[in-house]
């Protein structure tokens, strides 16, 4: 093995990469398509008439404007998490692992079956399906509750590398440095994330990583998985709904309804694993992080929308004892269309 930099897969090279490993049918694929989305991976979909594989390779350098290092071994965490969720969640809730090349950080998985849509695309088009939001919340509950009892998972996902490098450094600590008056609140939140380690947390539970079907949802993207605070996942998903309410006020009421449904389904009749007060704190932090961290939300560019997000984040971080319902009511009123004169 030479000391050369490990090869990155391309649309041109992936077919021979698979053929050398005897993965997939031994013929040229019909289609090789880059799957858009993230900033940190090459993701390619390779299809034959009778088979379909998605290949994901972690990039050594993330595609963001600012410097951000993230250990490529995060891909092996994703593989382990995908395999774990395959046993923990109902069939069809995650892709199956097909292969993993640990030296080149390449993961092969089954393609999501046809008939679904990336939830983010539906949400940004103003199609806000409350039933999907409920399924997303119920599946997260099942995951958090099911994993919490598993000591083997506590060990397997013990590394805080994904949380530290993937979230705390680029998000929380960066936003804290840029908002001195909020730094104490953000640091307290970080301390809780590092201490309150209760179950398997996905760390990237967002609408981009959910494929919605008419009767179920499928989850993707597990490279930030760690044994940690379940409030993080609930807040991460809610953050995306709040950001959309602020960037598309015309549908703010629908996004808020989806957020309420998600939380109701997550919480269920018994107390949820994630504590509501922690979810609220985390939501305040994450909203600010998507403005001032190293991975700003790409669709949140309009200055007035950014100001609404900032106002909500500041209120959450500077007010004690807000319930999630209070916060969502605030999101709705903040985004109400200005009342026209009578
Ligand atoms: N197994 C799969 N089947 C279908 N689409 C997929 C699959 N894996 C990923 N994708 C698509 O590719 C996008 C990026 O993949 P993802 O694993 O989320 O990588 P990233 O870390 O770059 O966000 C996803 O948002 C989804 O649209
Ligand atoms: Mg993703």
């Amino acid at each position: 093995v030479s000391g050369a930099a490990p090869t990155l897969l391309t649309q041109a090279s992936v077919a021979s990469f698979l053929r050398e490993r005897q993965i997939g049918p031994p013929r040229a694929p019909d289609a090789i398509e880059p799957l858009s989305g993230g900033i940190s991976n090459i993701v390619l979909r390779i299809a034959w008439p009778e088979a379909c594989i998605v290949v994901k390779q972690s990039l050594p350098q993330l595609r963001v404007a600012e410097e951000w290092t993230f250990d490529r071994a995060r891909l092996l965490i994703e593989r382990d998490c995908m395999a774990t969720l395959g046993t923990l969640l109902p069939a069809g809730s995650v892709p199956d692992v097909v292969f993993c090349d640990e030296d080149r950080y390449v993961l092969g998985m089954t393609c999501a079956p046809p008939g679904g849509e990336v939830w983010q695309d539906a949400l940004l088009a103003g199609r806000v399906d409350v039933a999907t939001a409920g399924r997303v919340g119920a599946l997260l509950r099942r995951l958090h509750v099911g994993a919490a009892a598993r000591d083997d998972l506590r060990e397997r996902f013990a590394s805080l590398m994904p949380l530290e490098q993937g979230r705390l450094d680029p998000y929380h600590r960066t936003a804290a440095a840029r908002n001195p008056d909020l730094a104490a609140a953000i640091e307290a939140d970080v301390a809780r994330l590092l201490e309150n380690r209760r179950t398997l947390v996905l760390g990237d539970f967002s609408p981009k990583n959910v494929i919605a079907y008419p009767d179920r949802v499928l989850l993707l993207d597990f490279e930030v998985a760690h044994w940690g605070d379940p409030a993080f996942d609930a807040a991460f998903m809610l953050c995306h709904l709040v950001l959309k309410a602020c960037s598309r006020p015309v549908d703010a009421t629908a996004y808020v309804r989806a957020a309420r449904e998600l939380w109701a389904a997550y919480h269920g009749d018994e107390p949820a694993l994630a504590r509501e007060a922690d979810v609220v704190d985390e939501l305040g932090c994450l909203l600010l992080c998507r403005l001032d961290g190293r991975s700003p939300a790409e669709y949140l560019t309009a200055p007035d929308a950014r100001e609404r997000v900032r106002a909500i984040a500041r209120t959450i971080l500077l007010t004690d004892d807000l319930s999630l319902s209070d916060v969502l009511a605030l999101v709705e009123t903040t985004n109400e269309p200005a009342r026209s004169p009578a």
Side-chain angles (χ1 to χ4, degrees):
V1 179
S2 76
T7 338
L8 293 179
L9 288 174
T10 63
Q11 264 176 282
S13 69
V14 71
S16 56
F17 175 91
L18 293 176
R19 211 175 309 118
E20 279 161 24
R21 289 162 178 76
Q22 301 187 317
I23 294 156
R27 298 190 314 280
D30 284 16
I32 302 174
E33 179 199 346
L35 295 177
S36 61
I39 49 172
S40 57
N41 298 286
I42 293 164
V43 186
L44 298 167
R45 182 178 181 278
I46 301 97
W48 299 262
E50 73 278 33
C52 181
I53 293 176
V54 167
V55 165
K56 178 168 178 176
Q57 183 175 37
S58 48
L59 290 168
Q61 220 68 58
L62 270 55
R63 294 183 283 236
V64 284
E66 299 183 66
E67 189 177 327
W68 177 355
T69 26
F70 197 173
D71 190 334
R72 296 181 84 197
R74 64 188 189 268
L75 191 83
L76 311 183
I77 290 174
E78 166 150 24
R79 173 202 55 194
D80 289 351
C81 184
M82 191 177 283
T84 295
L85 296 181
T87 66
L88 206 63
L89 297 178
S93 300
V94 291
D96 294 326
V97 175
V98 175
F99 72 91
C100 184
D101 182 328
E102 298 198 0
D103 298 324
R104 295 207 203 174
Y105 300 108
V106 181
L107 171 65
M109 69 188 95
T110 53
C111 296
E117 179 180 29
V118 178
W119 197 28
Q120 171 92 336
D121 297 345
L123 289 172
L124 285 177
R127 284 178 278 111
V128 189
D129 182 22
V130 172
T132 296
R135 286 183 197 110
V136 167
L139 196 61
L140 184 66
R141 175 189 177 86
R142 191 155 174 169
L143 192 170
H144 283 169
V145 172
R150 295 267 305 266
D151 282 338
D152 58 321
L153 300 183
R154 180 198 303 271
E155 301 233 320
R156 197 160 167 193
F157 297 98
S159 170
L160 287 176
M161 176 277 284
L163 179 69
E164 289 279 358
Q165 295 185 11
R167 296 290 176 253
L168 300 183
D169 287 340
Y171 284 58
H172 299 68
R173 290 175 184 136
T174 304
R178 291 171 186 174
N179 294 274
D181 67 322
L182 301 173
I186 298 170
E187 278 154 23
D189 181 80
V190 167
R192 193 205 64 251
L193 289 176
L194 292 172
E195 245 162 57
N196 188 28
R197 305 183 64 188
R198 300 168 67 196
T199 191
L200 178 61
V201 173
L202 299 183
D204 201 0
F205 188 60
S206 93
K208 275 188 193 171
N209 295 326
V210 168
I211 302 199
Y213 292 86
D215 60 345
R216 67 193 171 92
V217 294
L218 178 138
L219 309 182
L220 298 169
D221 207 351
F222 310 113
E223 33 180 18
V224 195
H226 60 279
W227 194 261
D229 183 347
F232 190 87
D233 282 340
F236 205 81
M237 187 62 85
L238 291 169
C239 173
H240 281 270
L241 292 170
V242 173
L243 292 177
K244 285 171 184 62
C246 295
S247 64
R248 301 186 71 255
V250 60
D251 284 317
T253 301
Y255 295 124
V256 165
R257 198 179 303 134
R260 289 190 189 280
E261 182 69 22
L262 194 152
W263 178 249
Y266 178 80
H267 197 279
D269 295 330
E270 301 152 50
L273 261 193
R275 291 189 296 246
E276 182 170 340
D278 298 345
V279 173
V280 169
D281 285 350
E282 193 58 48
L283 177 57
C285 289
L286 289 171
L287 287 169
L288 194 70
C289 293
R290 298 324 288 259
L291 294 171
D292 296 337
R294 276 177 242 172
S295 179
E298 71 282 2
Y299 56 85
L300 197 73
T301 48
D304 57 331
R306 292 179 63 83
E307 279 325 301
R308 290 193 293 273
V309 173
R310 192 175 298 286
I312 294 165
R314 293 189 67 84
T315 302
I316 295 174
L317 290 172
L318 295 171
T319 314
D320 289 331
D321 301 326
L322 281 179
S323 69
L324 186 57
S325 188
D326 295 337
V327 170
L328 292 174
L330 174 67
V331 172
E332 229 177 325
T333 53
T334 304
N335 290 294
E336 235 162 39
R339 241 177 270 146
S340 47

